[in-house]
Amino acid sequence: MFFRISARTLFTRIFGVIIVSGFVGYLFGQTFLAVSIVSLCLLAWHYNHLFKLIQWLWQGKSIAPPQANGIWGRIYDGLYRRIRKQRLKQKQLNERIRKFRDGAEALPDAALVLSNELIILWGNKKASKFLGVRWPEDIGLRIDNLIRFPEFSKYLDDGDYNSPCLIISPINNELQLELRMMAYGSDQILLLARDISKIQRLEEMRRDFVANVSHELKTPLTVVRGYVEMVQASETALDPHWKKAFTTIESQVSRMDRLVEQLLVLSRIEHNVDADNHQEVNLSRLVLTIIEEVQWLNQDKNHIINNDIAPNISINGNEHELKSACLNLISNAIAYTPPNGIIDIRLRNDGNKIRFSVKDNGPGIKPEHVNRLTERFFRVDKSRSRNTGGSGLGLAIVKHVLNHHHGELSIESEWHLGSEFIIYFSPEIANK
């Protein structure tokens, strides 16, 4: 029930009491005394309730206000109603907080809520298990005072949270953690730490398996190739069907040898994640050298290869990996473009980035296949890949090389009109 009173009504009541008291005093010849006594009583009554209100607000233990009649009763009822409403909101808020905390505790990841100044505000139990950050004991501490890793400090200084940060757990050397930070609300940051130890071990086992199998395949392939070449070089004439058989064996051994070689290259690139071996590479000279080396691939295709290579463009990187990436793009353009095609190779500065592109007028790629081109062993046309000796590993090698060099691969293609493969190197590794 709502209670409303206007100033006019309030003053009307007060003046009404004063006028009545004055009239009674007038009858007894004591007008001023009667008005004074009534005014003092009215003032004392209000001050009495005011003191009760102050005592209840500051010292009262009960949520129920003092009992009173009249306007003070209405005031107490309004306060009590506001308190009950506030307690209901607080209860609902506590319930939401409890649900949030239950949900955060159910996460398989460590979760920390930080302020924009990286001050710890809240954390779940996994944060203590993975990062050694305890809540509420560590509230108010900066996260970089508890996680002291150079890579994490650099991650915070860079402020680029689009990619994760990989560290070893500060309290368990067997745990490898992937840290991600993202905006949380308007003035907070959410830090998530995921245990990727099993994934990393499985990935390492896969890399080791591929590398070991590839190495083991090299020896039998070399033996088979040697015997085939020895038979083909023999002075004894072979029957036509045997000659065809050995030619087929030799071509398939060559194709398998190329596949094994690319597997070894991919394995080396995957293992070589250390940036300490990077050095200044003259990318302009490297691309021109590759263009000269691939001319033998173009003997049968007779493509027109145009190049527009800006001079003296250098970057910090691994020369062998960069050569593998550029060579794969150029050799793919030569292999998959029909004879007498046109291939344009360009290298230039594009704003604060370096842009390397290989464009052809070949058959192009359907839009649904573009996003899968960098998958291992993925081939748009398997029969065409077999004819050209493709392994489906070239663009996978390019992708891994670019991951090591802060690069980005962009593919622009129109079906039946041709394709353009573009590499952008970020300014972090560019030497202007």
Side-chain angles (χ1 to χ4, degrees), residues 8-23:
R8 180 179 178 182
T9 303
L10 180 62
F11 283 114
T12 300
R13 289 181 181 181
I14 293 174
F15 283 120
V17 172
I18 293 175
I19 291 172
V20 171
S21 63
F23 178 73

Side-chain angles (χ1 to χ4, degrees), residues 97-113 122-130 133-136 190 192:
I97 293 175
R98 185 189 65 78
K99 290 181 178 180
F100 164 77
R101 289 180 176 175
D102 290 344
E105 294 294 348
L107 289 174
D109 305 334
L112 289 174
V113 177
W122 182 85
N124 63 359
K125 293 179 180 178
K126 288 290 196 311
S128 176
K129 180 180 178 181
F130 290 170
V133 178
R134 299 168 299 169
W135 185 82
L190 179 63
L192 296 177

Side-chain angles (χ1 to χ4, degrees), residues 77 154 189 241 281 363:
D77 290 343
K154 184 177 183 302
I189 298 173
H241 69 279
V281 178

